[in-house]
Amino acid sequence: MEFADVARKLLLVAPADFVRERTARQRAVRKDDRDLASRIGGLRKPAPAAWVVDLLAHEGALDEAIDLGPAIRRAQADADPDEIRRLRRQRAEVVAALAQAGADLASDAGYPVTSAVLDQVRATIEAAMADPHAGAAARSGLLVRPLESAGFDAVDLDGALADPDAVPDAWSGTGAEPIPITSARRSRTASRASRPEPEPEAEPEEEQDPEPEPEPRVDPAAERRAAREAEAAARTESRDADAALDAAEQELETAEERRAELERQLADARAEIERAERARDEAADASDRARDLLRAAQRHRREVGR
């Protein structure tokens, strides 16, 4: 059983029920696959907007919108104003229709979403159309937070997916090799060295500054490996933090349920006390009436006996 498959099913569960369903699924697989159970336990609860987008992805409803993205980017690159206007109108219609479809799916699931959540759904769909990596993320059904497009910058996908390794097309970046910092520094040094500089005045040899030592050569492949390892470590740390957050949320939910149960018990106890007090008052009234009847009967007997 693949973790991504389990995650996709769990992410279709409404956020309000997510922790309970995740715990049940984790317990169900713990005996047979402890590693999978551990990953399920660390699965982050989706934000409401991400849940709605995952519902749309499950229905295959995002394909038309995401496939429209490359046409919009081509029109922008060609600077074709008429085509850009036409495609933007089409984009607005598609995004509005998808947001309404998402709202309907959420209502059918018993959890209607707010207008603020739908704004985030629309922003996520627009980001998926603007950036092919974001499109792959939205279409994967593994989204745990909404996305946002900022101009021509790549969409930030850090922490957006429940299982980034399951969606290689969503890895951010263009695929170009990164330029090592030290290489850039050498380039700037070379540029400065190419500019003519005035001849320095002659000074005694013993007072001249020593020649700077050349910078050590840097292996670009090693730097890329180090960068990937750092990214993997950061991703692991992010997952651990998300797991800790979910565990804290689960503990809070359990504590709130216990508090609600105690409050119900306290309310029942108060109602029982009130019933007992009423019964006591009624019994006291009945006792008083009985004593009055007894005294009246005793007086009557004495009067008859005279």
Side-chain angles (χ1 to χ4, degrees):
M1 184 182 302
E2 294 291 337
F3 170 67
D5 297 330
V6 178
R8 284 189 180 93
K9 293 179 181 178
L10 282 174
L11 291 174
L12 297 177
V13 176
D17 300 328
F18 178 81
V19 173
R20 182 175 65 254
E21 291 295 328
R22 182 189 60 188
T23 301
R25 187 62 176 170
Q26 182 185 22
R27 289 172 178 169
V29 304
R30 181 176 291 156
K31 181 179 179 181
D32 298 325
D33 193 335
R34 296 189 66 85
D35 290 339
L36 178 59
S38 177
R39 294 195 69 185
I40 292 173
L43 180 60
R44 181 179 176 183
K45 180 171 71 174
W51 170 60
V52 174
V53 174
D54 287 335
L55 292 177
L56 291 168
H58 180 69
E59 297 290 326
L62 297 175
D63 295 345
E64 179 184 355
I66 293 174
D67 290 343
L68 187 61
I72 295 175
R73 292 192 291 273
R74 282 196 300 272
Q76 290 172 335
D78 295 340
D80 185 341
D82 294 335
E83 184 68 4
I84 290 174
R85 280 193 295 271
R86 184 187 72 80
L87 289 171
R88 282 181 176 173
R89 283 195 300 270
Q90 184 178 355
R91 178 182 65 183
E93 293 170 358
V94 169
V95 171
L98 283 174
Q100 184 57 54
D104 294 341
L105 289 172
S107 295
D108 292 344
Y111 293 92
V113 292
T114 64
S115 59
V117 169
L118 288 181
D119 286 342
Q120 292 181 330
V121 171
R122 283 187 282 268
T124 299
I125 297 170
E126 290 173 353
M129 299 167 75
D131 183 339
H133 303 293
R139 190 182 279 178
S140 71
L142 292 169
L143 210 62
V144 294
R145 68 164 177 82
L147 306 178
E148 186 175 5
S149 178
F152 293 100
D153 294 337
V155 175
D156 179 17
L157 297 177
D158 185 34
L161 291 170
D163 186 4
D165 294 333
V167 196
D169 290 342
W171 291 349
S172 59
T174 62
E177 296 291 352
I179 300 176
I181 294 174
T182 52
S183 296
R185 187 184 299 122
R186 285 200 303 273
S187 176
R188 289 194 299 270
T189 303
S191 177
R192 287 196 300 269
S194 64
R195 295 195 297 266
E197 295 184 0
E199 288 280 336
E201 295 182 4
E203 294 183 2
E205 185 175 346
E206 62 273 14
E207 294 182 2
Q208 290 182 350
D209 293 332
E211 287 289 328
E213 296 183 3
E215 293 187 12
R217 293 192 60 183
V218 177
D219 181 4
E223 283 207 347
R224 289 194 292 272
R225 283 196 301 272
R228 286 195 295 269
E229 290 171 0
E231 181 182 357
R235 180 178 296 169
T236 299
E237 185 175 350
S238 175
R239 287 176 178 170
D240 291 344
D242 288 341
L245 173 60
D246 283 344
E249 288 178 344
Q250 187 172 3
E251 290 179 2
L252 176 59
E253 183 177 341
T254 301
E256 288 176 344
E257 290 176 354
R258 178 60 179 158
R259 181 185 65 182
E261 177 62 26
L262 290 173
E263 288 176 349
R264 284 193 296 270
Q265 292 178 0
L266 179 58
D268 291 343
R270 286 173 177 167
E272 185 64 28
I273 290 172
E274 290 177 358
R275 285 194 296 271
E277 288 176 344
R278 286 195 299 270
R280 180 202 61 191
D281 293 342
E282 291 172 358
D285 292 341
S287 176
D288 291 341
R289 288 193 298 270
R291 288 195 186 96
D292 291 341
L293 289 172
L294 175 61
R295 285 193 292 270
Q298 287 173 341
R299 283 195 303 272
H300 180 68
R301 178 179 56 79
R302 286 193 296 270
E303 289 174 355
V304 171
R306 287 175 183 173

